[in-house]
Amino acid sequence: LARPRAPLQLASFVAFSGQQIRLPPRHAAMATVATTKPSEYEKGGNPPPMELDLALDQEEPAVYYNKADYILTNSGNKVSRKSVLCGSTNISLAGKCVVKPGVILRGDLHLLRVGKYCIIGDGSVLRPSTKQYKGNFGFFPMTIGDYVTIGARTICSAAQIGACVDIGEDCIVAKRCIIKDNSMILPGTVLAPDTVVPPHTVFGGNPGRYLGDLPESMTKTQQQNATNQYKKFLPLATGQVVPE
């Protein structure tokens, strides 16, 4: 069997066009595993299970919060009291989501549906897209799939974000963008209006452009990433001090 292309591309786009692009640790680990022991790939083998497990277990340290600062819903959502949910009746969180301080969800403009295990970083804004039809101006719903992580200070007006998507910090996702499943937007990226990000691809830069492909394992990696971020977002116990 031929050696799979996707893992090689994942490792190569780190230095795309001579630029050193920093990947989150979990994806950098996957890039390292994807290029280990090439002779086994060439023979049609799989990467060593133990090494793959170690890559998937690259966890961020626990983040602690004050219980009084968050609302815990029956479905496990953790919503900061310092976030702003406009038109809350139009906002749907599927469960086990984290909405951090300073987040603004514009449900007053149209429906905003967020899947399970979604992490929305500090100061981010989710705002449904606008459209113009026969001279009339309006908004249409925003849908976000499961296991999506959105970095701090990101402004997003996408029409749709698929499942298992990682959007970095300080990004701007302009109106009517569509981000397909299992894709990654690098920190600081600016996506122009109506951009379509295909599945298993990486976009970065200003303006945002295609940088490379992700392996099929991106689904599992991002699921574990989002799940770990939720599980490691923990309330402080009485008298507990945040570890340094």
Side-chain angles (χ1 to χ4, degrees):
L1 295 175
R3 184 177 181 178
R5 294 181 56 195
L8 289 176
Q9 291 168 332
L10 174 60
S12 64
F13 76 72
V14 178
F16 179 81
S17 298
Q19 304 178 39
Q20 293 297 319
I21 299 174
R22 181 178 178 274
L23 289 180
R26 57 193 174 275
H27 298 297
M30 286 303 299
T32 302
V33 171
T35 55
T36 57
K37 301 189 178 182
S39 59
E40 294 186 12
Y41 278 119
E42 292 168 357
K43 296 176 182 178
N46 295 316
M50 183 59 69
E51 293 185 19
L52 181 58
D53 289 342
L54 289 173
L56 291 177
D57 285 340
Q58 295 293 322
E59 298 180 4
E60 302 291 335
V63 176
Y64 294 89
Y65 66 91
N66 191 324
K67 285 183 180 181
D69 294 337
Y70 278 79
I71 299 170
L72 179 62
T73 70
N74 292 333
S75 56
N77 298 310
K78 302 173 183 179
V79 182
S80 171
R81 295 183 184 275
K82 295 181 181 179
S83 62
V84 180
L85 277 62
C86 305
S88 57
T89 56
N90 284 339
I91 299 173
S92 171
L93 303 176
K96 300 188 184 302
C97 296
V98 176
V99 179
K100 295 191 176 181
V103 169
I104 300 176
L105 304 182
R106 295 297 306 273
D108 57 319
L109 301 177
H110 214 296
L111 296 175
L112 180 55
R113 298 186 179 92
V114 181
K116 63 183 179 181
Y117 285 108
C118 290
I119 314 296
I120 306 174
D122 300 66
S124 293
V125 179
L126 300 186
R127 185 175 186 269
S129 293
T130 60
K131 62 179 178 180
Q132 190 167 358
Y133 180 71
K134 294 184 178 179
N136 295 320
F137 177 86
F139 294 86
F140 56 95
M142 175 187 289
T143 303
I144 299 175
D146 300 335
Y147 304 103
V148 172
T149 51
I150 299 176
R153 301 173 301 279
T154 286
I155 300 173
C156 180
S157 293
Q160 181 179 354
I161 299 174
C164 301
V165 172
D166 184 11
I167 300 177
E169 300 177 347
D170 302 303
C171 293
I172 297 177
V173 181
K175 55 188 178 182
R176 297 184 301 275
C177 288
I178 297 177
I179 303 176
K180 298 294 185 69
D181 297 347
N182 309 306
S183 55
M184 183 194 302
I185 310 298
L186 296 180
T189 299
V190 178
L191 292 182
D194 302 300
T195 299
V196 177
V197 177
H200 291 97
T201 60
V202 180
F203 271 55
N206 181 8
R209 63 194 185 280
Y210 167 81
L211 296 182
D213 294 333
L214 291 164
E216 294 297 325
S217 59
M218 175 61 181
T219 303
K220 179 65 175 177
T221 305
Q222 180 60 11
Q223 285 177 355
Q224 184 137 351
N225 167 38
T227 302
N228 284 340
Q229 285 196 43
Y230 176 82
K231 290 181 177 179
K232 289 203 168 272
F233 192 66
L234 303 172
L236 286 170
T238 303
Q240 182 182 2
V241 178
V242 178
E244 296 186 3

